[in-house]
Amino acid sequence: MPDQRTDLRSTIAAQIRIGGPISIATYMGLCLTHPHKGYYRKADPLGVAGDFVTAPEISQMFGELIGVWAVNLWAQMGGPERFSLLELGPGRGTLMADLLLVAGRTPGFSAALDLRLHDASEVLKAEQHRRLARHAPKWIEDFDELPDQPVIVIANEFFDALPIRQFVRADGRWHERCVGLKDGGLAFGLSPTPMPETAFPESVRTARDGELYELGLAAIETMSRLASAIAPRGGAVLAIDYGYPATGTGETLQAVARHAFADPLAAPGDADLSAHVDFEALGAAARNAGLDVPAIVTQGEFLDAMGIHERAEVLSSANPEDAEAIASSLNRLTAADQMGSLFKVFAAVSPGLRPPGFGA
Ligand code: SAH
């Protein structure tokens, strides 16, 4: 029996032999969420022993401050007696556990809470269950399963895991970049058929030959459905990701394995694939559904405004022996040369709500 881990390559090669080259989105979807051999289906990718470390795994302060954010919005909505708190891609449940520890100190919050989680990984769902069982979470597949009550949504490093398509400008037209077969191996190539120009946003229509445009339809579609679920119920969504403020050109697809960059075609299903999020496109999707969208801020700006420095001081005085570690995680989360500038924070809220952390 071949190891299932190495087998996804032959599955993909067979699919290409039968049906022809596949889009980057199809390739990413197979690599990440193929039912048996997808990256997120097989194992826990997070942490020092895994492939990458996320903000909530670096410090409890991250989830705690998002807890402050959630309580603030719940209070702005008048402290509803029932509301849904939904996390997309909760990973190990660390962010939510830290969030609930802080939010639980606000009278009425825990009693009003319906915890909902959405995740593609059975391995991580089991871990989420272990961490959060006390709060009786329910897992949902789609947003129309949300009860008819206000909803607050949190997503850290979720949208960047959703498939993107890539188009390359050649001879003055956009051609889709695909994964095909060359000399028996997986290889990138361009579709010979140009795309209709009107399918592309104005901001990339003047691109020069050789430029690459990424279209994150799965993220746009997800935000659109999410915002349509939030709008009639009232509520807000907070999303933190690698990303850019305005639609434009440039390649951001990346593969990471064992804390190092890898070739996206080298080990399908064994490396994490992600792409930076087009926050202008997500904002448009949320606004179309009737939500307000403030300008995105950097993770550093957001955590700063939410009081991470004050929180770090409190933690350090309570645990002087940990002061160095706390200072070091503070730096990793907020410094411009660490996660502070690369990661952006996006919010979309029901009209009238003012999400904290987004400036005046
Ligand atoms: N938010 C966590 C985990 C980030 S990793 C943290 O910050 O630590 C990405 C998470 O999104 C994982 O939990 C993964 O299982 C989930 N995920 C990835 N693609 C998904 C998809 N298409 N549908 C649902 N969940 C997905």
Side-chain angles (χ1 to χ4, degrees), residues 133-221:
R134 283 197 305 124
H135 305 280
K138 290 202 178 81
W139 283 265
I140 62 169
E141 293 294 325
D142 212 338
F143 308 133
D144 55 13
E145 295 168 49
L146 285 168
D148 191 11
Q149 57 194 24
V151 52
I152 296 174
V153 186
I154 308 294
N156 186 58
E157 292 210 46
F158 169 76
F159 285 97
D160 70 357
L162 302 184
I164 54 142
R165 290 167 74 176
Q166 291 187 329
F167 301 91
V168 175
R169 200 76 173 165
D171 298 327
R173 311 289 294 274
W174 287 113
H175 294 260
E176 182 147 22
R177 191 173 186 225
C178 295
V179 178
L181 293 172
K182 193 175 177 191
D183 305 327
L186 299 174
F188 289 118
L190 292 192
S191 160
T193 315
M195 298 290 294
E197 205 63 9
T198 46
F200 292 81
E202 300 247 351
S203 51
V204 303
R205 288 200 198 152
T206 53
R208 282 193 291 270
D209 275 8
E211 285 194 80
L212 187 151
Y213 165 62
E214 293 180 341
L215 176 60
L217 283 178
I220 293 169
E221 170 76 17

Side-chain angles (χ1 to χ4, degrees), residues 215-236:
L215 176 60
L217 283 178
I220 293 169
E221 170 76 17
T222 301
M223 181 55 73
S224 186
R225 284 189 289 113
L226 187 62
S228 302
I230 294 174
R233 292 171 173 85

Side-chain angles (χ1 to χ4, degrees), residues 32-33 40 45-46 52-57 62 87-95 118-121 124 128 155-158 160-163:
L32 294 179
T33 52
Y40 281 115
L46 296 162
F52 57 96
V53 179
T54 58
E57 303 295 335
F62 190 77
E87 185 171 0
L88 309 180
R92 291 177 171 171
T94 308
L95 189 164
H118 171 72
D119 208 292
S121 159
L124 290 173
Q128 291 155 22
N156 186 58
E157 292 210 46
F158 169 76
D160 70 357
L162 302 184

